[in-house]
């Protein structure tokens, strides 16, 4: 049996092609889930993905992380610092996605651990992220890392779409 090596590390500009493809997959996948349509119009990363990801990589208040399996990028995560009213900071995980072909081997866990450590090192008082309604897998994944619901966003569509 061949042993695969998995790890999470900060992204570099050399990862942009893989990051761009993963971001497109993530947006497409989440857009099709319950609550995904409004998410895609409000919270989702927008095109051009490469331009946004490059800016995030260059931003010292943002960490773009990649999950690699035998040196190939199969996942990514993005966490940004946000200032609160009392001037403390919170980390916001805006993106986290692992290609379906590479799930279940620890890439997502490595990405979250790296992002939580990054936020801790910057003195954040907490970390927030988002799980779409009914996405039990994502909710359970976040809860396994200590992220629990602190608010519930409710929505009513006023269109027939």
């Amino acid at each position: 049996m061949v042993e695969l090596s998995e790890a999470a590390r900060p992204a570099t500009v050399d990862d942009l092609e893989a990051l761009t493809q993963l971001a497109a997959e993530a947006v497409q996948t989440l857009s099709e889930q319950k609550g995904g349509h409004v998410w895609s119009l409000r919270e989702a990363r927008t095109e051009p993905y490469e331009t946004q990801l490059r800016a995030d990589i260059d931003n010292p208040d943002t960490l773009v992380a990649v999950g690699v399996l035998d040196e190939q990028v199969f996942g990514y995560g993005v966490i940004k610092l946000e200032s609160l009213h009392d001037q403390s900071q919170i980390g916001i995980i805006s993106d986290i996605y692992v290609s379906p072909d590479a799930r279940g081997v620890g890439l997502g866990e490595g990405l979250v651990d790296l992002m939580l450590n990054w936020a801790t090192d910057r003195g954040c008082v907490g970390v927030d992220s988002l799980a779409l309604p009914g996405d039990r897998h994502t909710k359970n994944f976040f809860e396994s890392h200590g992220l629990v619901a602190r608010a519930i966003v409710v929505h009513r569509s006023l269109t027939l779409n």
Side-chain angles (χ1 to χ4, degrees):
M1 180 175 202
V2 176
E3 189 72 25
L4 299 175
S5 66
E6 45 87 11
R9 62 167 171 78
T12 69
V13 292
D14 293 336
D15 299 313
L16 278 172
E17 183 176 340
L19 284 165
T20 300
Q21 180 179 352
L22 288 167
E25 285 178 30
V27 170
Q28 178 65 37
T29 299
L30 289 173
S31 295
E32 295 170 358
Q33 292 183 10
K34 181 179 179 183
H37 177 70
V38 174
W39 170 85
S40 71
L41 298 172
R42 186 169 187 265
E43 287 96 2
R45 187 169 291 280
T46 58
E47 295 189 59
Y49 302 122
E50 183 175 347
T51 302
Q52 290 181 351
L53 289 160
R54 179 183 294 269
D56 284 344
I57 289 171
D58 292 338
N59 184 343
D61 291 335
T62 302
L63 170 68
V64 179
V66 290
V68 295
L69 190 58
D70 283 345
E71 302 305 315
Q72 186 174 350
V73 175
F74 281 99
Y76 83 108
V78 179
I79 185 170
K80 302 173 183 202
L81 297 179
E82 182 178 294
S83 292
L84 301 175
H85 296 306
D86 67 358
Q87 302 311 308
S88 63
Q89 293 191 317
I90 191 168
I92 305 294
I93 298 175
S94 60
D95 303 48
I96 185 160
Y97 181 77
V98 174
S99 176
D101 296 341
R103 292 183 183 161
V105 297
L107 291 183
E109 288 82 0
L111 288 167
V112 170
D113 288 344
L114 181 62
M115 290 187 287
L116 290 175
N117 288 334
W118 181 86
T120 299
D121 290 347
R122 279 147 189 80
C124 289
V125 298
V127 172
D128 278 358
S129 192
L130 181 141
L132 291 174
D135 189 347
R136 208 32 128 184
H137 179 76
T138 298
K139 179 186 172 291
N140 292 343
F141 174 78
F142 281 136
E143 285 179 348
S144 73
H145 291 279
L147 285 91
V148 296
R150 66 163 188 82
I152 296 175
V153 176
V154 295
H155 173 79
R156 176 181 172 176
S157 177
L158 298 177
T159 64
L160 298 177
N161 294 344

